[in-house]
Amino acid sequence: MAITTVDERLDITGKICPYTLIETREALKALRQGQVLEVLVDFEPAAMVTIPNFCAKKGYPFQTFVNDGVGWRIRIERTD
């Protein structure tokens, strides 16, 4: 299922772990159940491992997109 609606955006380009995960987690806490956060990130370990592992652990559906060759966009739905 494609996540098409975005409620909030978080730009963490230029940041590295653990700050990428900390800021993503804090932004998700501010959302209500069913809302979607779009994260803009250019640090590959965060985009491919850290944030996806966090989402899987929490049970949050997510999708990762290449962002015009400069980083990634990760859409995360808060489900709790």
Side-chain angles (χ1 to χ4, degrees):
M1 179 172 96
I3 301 173
T4 57
T5 303
V6 174
D7 297 294
E8 294 290 332
R9 285 191 173 79
L10 174 66
D11 186 350
I12 54 174
T13 55
K15 297 187 179 179
I16 61 170
C17 293
Y19 306 106
T20 54
L21 180 58
I22 292 168
E23 290 191 29
T24 299
R25 188 175 57 220
E26 291 303 311
L28 282 164
K29 285 181 184 178
L31 298 181
R32 294 185 310 274
Q33 182 177 4
Q35 288 189 309
V36 173
L37 174 68
E38 183 173 72
V39 181
L40 305 175
V41 58
D42 60 354
F43 186 59
E44 185 173 5
M48 308 296 357
V49 179
T50 308
I51 294 172
N53 285 348
F54 167 77
C55 293
K57 182 178 177 182
K58 295 291 281 182
Y60 294 161
F62 71 96
Q63 294 174 307
T64 304
F65 307 92
V66 174
N67 191 28
D68 299 327
V70 183
W72 297 265
R73 289 180 295 126
I74 306 170
R75 290 183 182 167
I76 308 166
E77 181 182 348
R78 180 166 178 183
T79 56
D80 62 357

